[in-house]
Amino acid sequence: MKQVFGALAVVGVAGIGVWQVMARETAVLIPYMDAEAAIAGARIYAEHCAACHGAALEGEADWRSPGPDGLLRAPPHDETGHTWHHADTLLFEITKYGSEAVVGGTYRSNMQGFGDVLTDAEILSVLAYIKSTWPDRVIETHNRINADARP
């Protein structure tokens, strides 16, 4: 009988650990206060993102309108854009899978998914870099958006 309770206790503790990891992953993904992550993210951003989204996170000109090809242009990731209007989980999914795959419907954009190019940790580092550049008031608003998005 002791062995059964012991086994149940181990399974219960393991289950709590898995739940905590899952809750942490869905609650706040972006480690924007981690200086090392943000520095690594800046390097990765320069290599993989800046060509479309701009070296200073400024996005393409007239980014709210489709380009000549009918696809939406790359938005800014600074405080003038809408990136901070989305919870961490959505930002991660868009970066990993691409805008069209996540948004669906008639949404058309050049934003490819980077899941085959970058690791999850690298994607989070890029997002950490982006978020670390926002003014405090924008970060506070984004943190509230994340809190509201928690399951």
Side-chain angles (χ1 to χ4, degrees):
M1 195 65 154
K2 273 184 169 178
Q3 292 170 336
V4 171
F5 285 120
L8 288 174
V10 168
V11 170
V13 169
I16 290 170
V18 169
W19 177 82
Q20 287 175 331
V21 168
M22 289 173 54
R24 188 170 42 248
E25 288 177 355
T26 58
V28 178
L29 293 172
I30 300 174
Y32 70 98
M33 295 180 71
D34 179 340
E36 288 182 29
I39 290 167
R43 180 183 43 76
I44 297 165
Y45 178 91
E47 184 177 342
H48 295 283
C49 312
C52 295
H53 292 281
L57 308 169
E58 73 275 12
E60 289 184 86
D62 197 23
W63 63 274
R64 294 180 191 266
S65 301
D69 58 3
L71 301 177
L72 289 171
R73 302 167 203 252
H77 289 311
D78 61 13
E79 74 275 7
T80 67
H82 63 83
T83 305
W84 58 271
H85 295 177
H86 304 298
D88 288 356
T89 303
L90 182 60
L91 295 175
F92 177 81
E93 289 173 354
I94 288 171
T95 308
K96 183 169 182 162
Y97 303 112
S99 296
E100 288 183 35
V102 174
V103 178
T106 59
Y107 190 91
R108 303 269 304 157
S109 133
N110 282 316
M111 177 59 187
Q112 70 177 49
F114 283 85
D116 293 336
V117 177
L118 303 174
T119 67
D120 289 358
E122 289 171 324
I123 291 170
L124 291 174
S125 290
V126 169
L127 294 171
Y129 160 65
I130 291 168
K131 185 169 180 173
S132 73
T133 67
W134 298 339
D136 289 342
R137 66 178 169 68
V138 171
I139 288 175
E140 289 169 13
T141 301
H142 187 250
N143 288 343
R144 281 195 300 276
I145 290 167
N146 282 321
D148 291 344
R150 286 190 185 128

